[in-house]
Amino acid sequence: MKQSSQSHSLLIRNGHLIDPVARVDALMDILLRDGQVSEIAPPNKIRSGADEKFDAKGLIVAPGFIDLHVHLREPGQNYKETIASGTAAAAAGGFTSVCCMPNTMPVLDSPEWVTWVRQPQRGAVVNVFPVGSATQASKGAVLTDFRALQRAGAVAVTDDGKPILNETTMRDALRSSAEINFPIVQHAEDTRLTQNCSMHEGPTSLRLGLRGMTDAAEAAIVDRDVQLAQQFSGARLHVAHLSTAEALTAVRRGKRNRARVTCEVTPHHFALTDSDVRDYDTNFKMNPPLRSASDREALLAALGDGTVDAIATDHAPHAPHEKVVEFERAAFGVTGLETALGLAITVLHGRQKMPLARIVELLTAGPARVVDLRGRGTLLRGSHADVTIFDPKKRWTFDAAKSRSKSHNTPFDGWQMTGKVVATIVAGRIVYRSS
Ligand code: DOR
Ligand code: ZN
């Protein structure tokens, strides 16, 4: 992020502030000054002048959204996405901070590459927090230097795209995690059980004649890792894109036993099921795959009851030549930054009656806690001036062709949604405004 050193202030007036950390759910004005939250007060009480004013009447004002799981594809795959295009899509989706995955080319397994991602020349329009690779080249064998990655600005480590499969490697990773207070993000998939699979195993995979991944392939790894995490006091395990009821059971057990276990769920997993994989449409192919209706029900319950810590998009852009091919040959992954809020409000608030405050928590304070983003995920005085303003009632239709992302591989093209981002503010400056 480029930071301007000039003094600047922005007053957001007449909005309805939802800040779960501050326990505020009421009409409030907010003054942002020089990159920080300077004042919060009931409407018309702030007396200080401001360079710029934003009228948020009828809108929700929330801490800036944080996405724990985004593939920005740089270095090396800028034909799919760049840090500039991916963060432009993030801003349009209301995200003021994104954590980017290390499965780039080369892999982000050194402090030099972590530093490279964070350089202003990359043209990021929102905050980018890199996640380093957990093992060298993400090959799963030799751990990287966690401390060096942490010093360079990585907020966690992962081999995402692949699991840390070897038990000894995972045990060593969790031991180090406890020593330096650093989260290990696990892509929970026992790849010995999922070779050549392209969707979830169930009636649909049988009908389509596609080899299916079982729930057990996810749950086995989560189960093992939760047990390992309990062996090292202070070890931090974060389960990426959790998708099955069985894996939730393991996470709940860990939380009950006071292990530092957290998890995230994607919008596509709470909005869709494997039966949506019709006609071999590769925009419905991702890993983990869309699961059964009962898995989805379990995710909805866990999002509501506090078991799930964050909504994360797993924004995974791919080019047409990687997606417009036979289902089994297509790349795994879907884009997600611009549809996350609309899906959350439409599905979780509209249909499940989840309070907006809980949705805001899953997009702000929840993810901020998972990777310790201090002074973010809340608008308490003195916090970073990252703000998302949205209209919870606005009906709109998502047009993938108009996406800011370089890639358009989404299952939600043409979807009617309720809830739309109106403005995204990073460090006190408006970086996105809906037209
Ligand atoms: O669907 C996915 N896409 N799952 C992953 O784990 C990796 C990701 C990617 O990098 O495209
Ligand atoms: Zn993954």
Side-chain angles (χ1 to χ4, degrees), residues 107-129:
V107 165
L108 304 181
D109 62 1
S110 67
E112 288 76 13
W113 279 116
V114 169
T115 303
W116 185 90
V117 165
R118 298 176 66 220
Q119 284 166 344
Q121 301 93 290
R122 304 288 88 79
V125 295
V126 308
N127 308 299
V128 174
F129 296 101

Side-chain angles (χ1 to χ4, degrees), residues 202-335:
T204 307
S205 68
L206 203 63
R207 181 169 61 78
L208 296 176
L210 296 169
R211 195 185 284 265
M213 309 186 195
T214 59
D215 291 26
E218 176 174 277
I221 298 293
V222 178
D223 214 68
R224 179 200 75 180
D225 290 352
V226 168
Q227 287 189 39
L228 288 175
Q230 290 176 7
Q231 291 175 20
F232 304 104
S233 162
R236 294 167 67 176
L237 169 69
H238 178 69
V239 183
H241 40 53
L242 185 146
S243 66
T244 62
E246 241 182 288
L248 280 170
T249 305
V251 167
R252 285 201 177 95
R253 187 179 336 111
K255 290 195 176 209
R256 251 199 329 271
N257 293 339
R258 306 233 165 268
R260 296 178 81 188
V261 178
T262 54
C263 69
E264 69 192 28
V265 165
T266 72
H268 47 272
H269 287 112
F270 70 62
L272 301 170
T273 66
D274 63 337
S275 66
D276 291 304
V277 185
R278 294 202 185 94
D279 307 325
Y280 305 92
D281 183 343
T282 61
N283 285 323
F284 292 76
K285 178 175 177 179
M286 72 296 282
N287 191 7
L290 298 174
R291 299 290 189 179
S292 68
S294 60
D295 284 316
R296 176 172 171 268
E297 289 300 323
L299 296 182
L300 291 171
L303 283 157
D305 73 16
T307 306
V308 176
D309 298 272
I311 292 172
T313 65
D314 195 6
H315 175 81
H318 291 295
H321 72 272
E322 297 159 322
K323 280 300 220 181
V324 190
V325 295
E326 297 88 331
F327 198 89
E328 286 175 294
R329 293 179 53 221
F332 287 101
V334 294
T335 59

Side-chain angles (χ1 to χ4, degrees), residues 395-407:
R395 285 173 65 84
W396 62 292
T397 303
F398 179 58
D399 180 357
K402 296 210 177 103
S403 170
R404 263 94 177 152
S405 169
K406 270 198 172 185
S407 296

Side-chain angles (χ1 to χ4, degrees), residues 409-421:
N409 50 305
T410 166
F412 301 112
D413 189 22
W415 268 47
Q416 276 226 351
M417 292 184 238
T418 305
K420 195 169 190 297
V421 175

